[in-house]
Amino acid sequence: MKKEKIWLSPPHMGGNELKYIQNAFDTNWISQYGSNIDEFEKSLENYLGNSSYVTALSSGTAAIHLALRLLNVEEGDFVICQSFTFVATANPILYLKAIPVFVDSESLTWNMCPDMLEEAIKYVIQQGKKPKAIITVSLYGMPFKVEEILNISRKYEIPIIEDSAEALGSKYKGQLCGTFGDLSIISFNGNKIITTAGGGILISRNAAAKKRTLFLATQAKDDAEFYSHSEIGYNYRMDNIAAGIGRGQLETLEKKIEQRRKNHDFYQQAVKNNNDIELFSAPNSDFYSNYWLNTVILKNDFLKENLKEKFSQNNIETRFLWKPMHLQPLYKGYKFFGDNLSGTLFDTGLCLPSGTNLTDDYRARISNVLQNEIY
Ligand SMILES: *Cc1c(COP(=O)(O)O)cnc(C)c1O
């Protein structure tokens, strides 16, 4: 009999989601308005602190798109973006016909390299323009080098859009990811640490920015008695059913972070005697990762070719790391600053099952592959 599939990062319901959905049905707020949306936003604002203003949206991608709009990014503007990421980080730059400039990762956090960032900024300034924004990512839940990057952002007065899609609950020096950017985003896609099936938030730092976010997310209706529109808006608001799922999920966030971090401890044990496999871990205690996904670097060509297949034979899902944007056909021809460290990570890395419902039984199956079946 085929063993049950172990997924990479499946949804994991907390318990109260249906109660909040039932409430939406009972009150007939089957809509992009309703108390689930209001309460979900309030709870997230309380959780994030640091004067965070949260707008619930239909996806993390929509949140990045609106962040660029809030910073007045227009056709022909330059936006600097981490290359090593999921394509959703970069695509909104193209939605606006702006020009992405990609920056490589450094080896400690796998996120944006401060030195290459500065090179990229100087290049854009040489073109006679100043970059309109810098999009940083905390990939796989690992915070980026926050201090170095924020210092560069301040030095050149270029705002940061912080893509924390994968990093809800992660911290740098005790401060939560999602609170560092001039604008920050988090995703609640089905594979993320908590989910609303599909959804995301834009986090801004003042009430005026939140008001503008809502305006753009709901078709940019002018303040008039009839339907009057002076600029382009979108239908990007989260709905009251999704927000109900979000409320139930958020109640279990602390537990989910703990569970993901325990998965990391498990992998540390499982690979500690194998010199061919290096588990990606926080470089020091300043970096607190939610370990959304556990990733390994394979230092042996045989494993590079075969490990994924071995897992697959055991009905265990693994995935390659994100393929950097500068290597994507879609982004061929855009400038890239770096030595292709992210390309090397892509060539040698693998994501391992990291769900919050990784049972002892599942762990035993994964250990067995790692310890007995790979060579
Ligand atoms: C998931 C993800 C996004 C996009 O979020 P959606 O809610 O799926 O639109 C953006 N950036 C990163 C790094 C992601 O992992």
Side-chain angles (χ1 to χ4, degrees):
M1 198 183 78
K2 207 168 176 198
K3 285 184 188 141
E4 215 183 319
K5 175 134 182 168
I6 304 178
W7 296 97
L8 195 74
S9 180
H12 185 188
M13 292 301 104
N16 284 333
E17 289 85 356
L18 278 175
K19 182 182 95 184
Y20 294 119
I21 292 174
Q22 186 66 48
N23 180 264
F25 276 72
D26 291 346
T27 56
N28 204 33
W29 285 103
I30 312 298
S31 167
Q32 285 166 318
Y33 296 90
S35 60
N36 283 337
I37 301 173
D38 300 338
E39 293 300 323
F40 188 44
E41 287 181 344
K42 248 188 260 167
S43 304
L44 283 159
E45 285 172 352
N46 285 336
Y47 175 74
L48 291 164
N50 300 296
S51 64
S52 294
Y53 289 78
V54 168
T55 312
L57 300 168
S58 54
S59 72
T61 311
I64 296 170
H65 190 188
L66 292 184
L68 292 168
R69 281 293 309 274
L70 257 71
L71 297 174
N72 299 315
V73 172
E74 290 174 359
E75 183 167 357
D77 285 336
F78 289 90
V79 175
I80 297 178
C81 183
Q82 179 164 324
S83 183
F84 193 31
T85 188
F86 177 50
V87 72
T89 309
N91 278 350
I93 303 170
L94 293 190
Y95 297 172
L96 293 167
K97 298 187 167 69
I99 306 164
V101 176
F102 293 110
V103 172
D104 207 0
S105 298
E106 36 77 15
S107 59
L108 281 184
T109 75
W110 291 7
N111 294 310
M112 189 177 271
C113 170
D115 298 337
M116 305 298 176
L117 167 61
E118 202 152 5
E119 301 240 326
I121 293 172
K122 286 177 182 160
Y123 160 79
V124 175
I125 290 172
Q126 272 166 14
Q127 311 305 302
K129 278 198 134 182
K130 192 163 143 185
K132 277 276 180 80
I134 299 163
I135 309 182
T136 61
V137 187
S138 294
L139 211 63
Y140 302 118
M142 188 65 70
F144 61 96
K145 285 188 171 176
V146 172
E147 268 170 341
E148 285 95 326
I149 301 283
L150 289 190
N151 281 339
I152 294 170
S153 149
R154 285 189 201 109
K155 176 173 164 189
Y156 291 92
E157 298 181 324
I158 305 166
I160 299 270
I161 297 173
E162 183 195 5
D163 179 349
S164 280
E166 304 174 358
L168 178 60
S170 297
K171 294 174 192 171
Y172 175 76
K173 291 196 173 172
Q175 187 178 333
L176 282 166
C177 286
T179 65
F180 295 113
D182 296 87
L183 297 163
S184 306
I185 77 103
I186 288 170
S187 165
F188 305 120
N189 195 301
N191 62 347
K192 300 302 199 295
I193 188 161
I194 66 169
T195 185
T196 58
I201 50 173
L202 180 63
I203 304 151
S204 46
R205 310 256 69 91
N206 58 66
K210 174 167 172 166
K211 193 170 167 213
R212 172 118 180 112
T213 307
L214 257 177
F215 171 77
L216 291 173
T218 54
Q219 307 289 20
K221 295 185 199 76
D222 295 333
D223 192 8
E225 283 176 33
F226 45 88
Y227 287 96
S228 167
H229 303 271
S230 310
E231 56 182 314
I232 294 180
Y234 312 88
N235 182 359
Y236 276 172
R237 191 66 162 137
M238 181 179 280
D239 69 67
N240 199 44
I241 306 292
I245 302 175
R247 286 179 75 184
Q249 288 274 286
L250 193 57
E251 290 171 356
T252 61
L253 177 61
E254 292 300 342
K255 186 129 188 277
K256 287 188 160 56
I257 296 165
E258 195 185 304
Q259 282 161 325
R260 296 250 175 193
R261 288 179 56 83
K262 280 198 180 135
N263 290 340
H264 185 78
D265 296 341
F266 155 71
Y267 281 113
Q268 228 156 16
Q269 287 301 314
V271 303
K272 73 173 179 203
N273 294 322
N274 189 329
N275 292 328
D276 292 336
I277 302 180
E278 187 179 291
L279 180 68
F280 178 53
S281 301
N284 61 56
S285 60
D286 288 344
F287 297 86
Y288 180 89
S289 175
N290 66 8
Y291 289 116
W292 172 59
L293 290 186
N294 285 285
T295 56
V296 288
I297 294 298
L298 307 172
K299 299 178 158 181
N300 164 318
D301 286 337
F302 178 80
L303 288 187
K304 273 182 242 169
E305 307 265 306
N306 293 291
L307 184 56
K308 195 169 194 309
E309 183 52 33
K310 289 281 179 201
F311 275 117
S312 172
Q313 285 163 8
N314 284 277
N315 212 19
I316 297 170
E317 185 187 24
T318 61
R319 293 261 180 115
F320 294 116
L321 305 191
W322 302 124
K323 183 172 181 177
M325 294 307 107
H326 72 278
L327 301 175
Q328 296 286 355
L330 174 63
Y331 287 105
K332 204 173 63 183
Y334 291 102
K335 268 274 186 194
F336 168 69
F337 289 84
D339 333 315
N340 198 33
L341 174 84
S342 54
T344 306
L345 294 172
F346 168 68
D347 284 338
T348 55
L350 202 61
C351 300
L352 303 180
S354 300
T356 44
N357 35 16
L358 204 67
T359 59
D360 285 345
D361 185 40
Y362 285 0
R363 287 181 183 182
R365 282 172 54 196
I366 294 167
S367 297
N368 188 47
V369 174
L370 285 170
Q371 282 160 5
N372 304 322
E373 291 201 23
I374 50 182
Y375 295 103

